[in-house]
Amino acid sequence: STGKENKITITNDKSRLSKEEIDKMVRDAETYGEDDKKAKERVEAKNGLESFVYTLRNTLKDQKVAGVLSDEDKATLNGSVEEAIAWLDKNQTAEKDEYDYKKKELEEKCNPIFAKMYQQSGGQGGMPGGMPGGMGGMPGMPGGMG
């Protein structure tokens, strides 16, 4: 947000607009403002999920991470990433709640694997390549699991 605020003033010149017409225009502006807010939130949720998915995919390609994960964990994570990408491709017009749910679902699949990897590494210096979305509550890992 830029901190700027736009205000619309509707004036009644030479009685061309009735009070009811002015009131309707104000109500419409408020209604569309709410629609704009919802659209912005939907786009932000979609961008958040896309960012998480593609960061996770890139993290999995990092040899420092790939070398530490078991084949089973790699398969689980890669499958989850591909599933999320396919879902995104088919759901370009999903609602904010759907994007949020999908991101949470993906985090719930991935976070335990990364937590296990972190513990196996002895918790030294954070995770190579970084954890998408972070893993709060664990030293060296910024973000949200905790």
Side-chain angles (χ1 to χ4, degrees):
S1 171
T2 61
K4 295 181 182 177
E5 185 175 326
N6 294 325
K7 292 195 180 248
I8 298 171
T9 304
I10 302 169
T11 57
N12 189 357
D13 292 333
K14 299 182 184 175
S15 300
R16 289 185 184 155
L17 294 173
S18 70
K19 171 89 170 107
E20 291 77 24
E21 289 170 319
I22 293 172
D23 289 344
K24 181 186 181 311
M25 292 173 82
V26 169
R27 281 193 310 275
D28 287 349
E30 290 169 353
T31 299
Y32 296 131
E34 186 63 29
D35 290 347
D36 289 347
K37 180 182 172 199
K38 287 180 182 174
K40 179 182 177 217
E41 289 172 350
R42 188 188 75 76
V43 168
E44 287 173 347
K46 179 182 177 195
N47 290 346
L49 174 58
E50 287 175 341
S51 175
F52 182 78
V53 168
Y54 289 106
T55 300
L56 179 57
R57 184 172 74 174
N58 290 336
T59 299
L60 293 172
K61 290 179 181 179
D62 183 330
Q63 288 307 309
K64 289 182 245 169
V65 175
V68 177
L69 291 171
S70 71
D71 289 342
E72 180 183 342
D73 286 344
K74 276 190 264 192
T76 298
L77 293 170
N78 282 315
S80 295
V81 166
E82 295 309 315
E83 177 187 311
I85 291 171
W87 185 89
L88 276 163
D89 289 344
K90 292 178 190 160
N91 293 279
Q92 289 293 308
T93 59
E95 295 298 318
K96 176 191 181 304
D97 292 345
E98 294 173 284
Y99 289 121
D100 289 344
Y101 177 81
K102 199 68 179 171
K103 183 177 178 193
K104 185 175 190 305
E105 185 180 72
L106 185 58
E107 288 171 338
E108 287 172 354
K109 288 178 185 175
C110 298
N111 285 350
I113 293 171
F114 283 111
K116 178 175 72 174
M117 186 183 92
Y118 178 75
Q119 290 168 346
Q120 288 171 346
S121 72
Q124 300 300 313
M127 188 181 102
M131 171 60 188
M135 290 185 64
M138 296 185 171
M141 294 184 146
M145 182 187 155

